[in-house]
Amino acid sequence: FGSDIAAQMMRRFGFKYVSHNPGASYRGLHDSLVNHLGNENPGMLLCLHEDHAVGIAHGYAKATGEPMACVLHSNVGLLHGMMGLYNAWCDRAPIFVLGATGPVDAAKRRPWIDWIHTAKDQGALIRDYTKWDDQPASVPAALESLLRAWQITQTAPRGPVYVCLDAALQEMRLETAPKMPDV
């Protein structure tokens, strides 16, 4: 699955933890972190609010000097985590933020729920408070995007980055695994 590839990249980056508040928009990634990676490297830190998820990643970055991953649910979770991202931006804390949207292809959206969890350009919500953002349209593009985000968050001046993964991309069944880039 596309989400297995994203989870494998998170492991290759060396993330020990990923903070999140579960959301349906990234159900594929959540499933991959649990069932494909066994909830290890990264281990999930369940949060009660997205602002907490961002705050934990911010504190981890300040304490260790290393970026931590967090995942924010669709547009509503991204908006909830926005103030935390702003604080991390001001503090030059490297945070690797993943988000998700319902299927961008309207023909793949479930009635109502996928429509209210889909935004054409989610990154626009936080673009002023991140170093870089992307919304890749394919699994190979996601590999490149994740690698680029990983590099950019660690490059001075450090700060949060955001990659939005389409729910349909996450749930895409892959015939063969793509070649993983050298991290």
Side-chain angles (χ1 to χ4, degrees), residues 13-180:
F13 296 147
F15 289 125
K16 295 177 184 159
Y17 307 103
V18 56
S19 55
H20 68 98
N21 180 320
S25 63
Y26 67 90
R27 60 189 175 266
L29 180 60
H30 191 159
D31 182 73
S32 292
L33 291 169
V34 172
N35 295 311
H36 185 65
L37 297 186
N39 194 20
E40 293 181 13
N41 302 315
M44 292 186 298
L45 302 176
L46 180 64
C47 300
L48 299 177
H49 194 276
E50 290 83 359
D51 196 40
H52 304 159
V54 175
I56 288 169
H58 182 177
Y60 182 90
K62 294 304 284 186
T64 66
E66 298 175 7
M68 188 178 126
C70 72
V71 186
L72 302 176
H73 169 52
S74 190
N75 40 14
V76 69
L78 188 58
L79 289 168
H80 278 297
M82 184 183 287
M83 192 64 213
L85 289 173
Y86 174 75
N87 289 336
W89 168 257
C90 292
D91 205 16
R92 297 294 183 222
I95 302 176
F96 188 88
V97 184
L98 291 173
T101 185
V104 173
D105 182 348
K108 295 181 180 179
R109 292 184 196 150
R110 298 172 296 168
W112 190 69
I113 195 70
D114 281 343
W115 286 87
I116 64 169
H117 287 109
T118 302
K120 191 172 191 173
D121 182 11
Q122 267 186 25
L125 296 170
I126 57 167
R127 193 159 289 138
D128 291 337
Y129 313 113
T130 54
K131 285 187 68 177
W132 185 79
D133 71 271
D134 195 21
Q135 189 167 322
S138 68
V139 173
L143 286 170
E144 177 65 27
S145 179
L146 294 169
L147 181 58
R148 189 172 295 231
W150 169 248
Q151 293 167 335
I152 290 171
T153 195
Q154 298 182 88
T155 304
R158 299 169 89 183
V161 294
Y162 178 68
V163 178
C164 182
L165 299 174
D166 182 309
L169 182 147
Q170 294 175 59
E171 296 173 355
M172 183 181 299
R173 196 177 282 273
L174 303 175
E175 297 299 321
T176 58
K179 182 178 182 209
M180 300 294 274

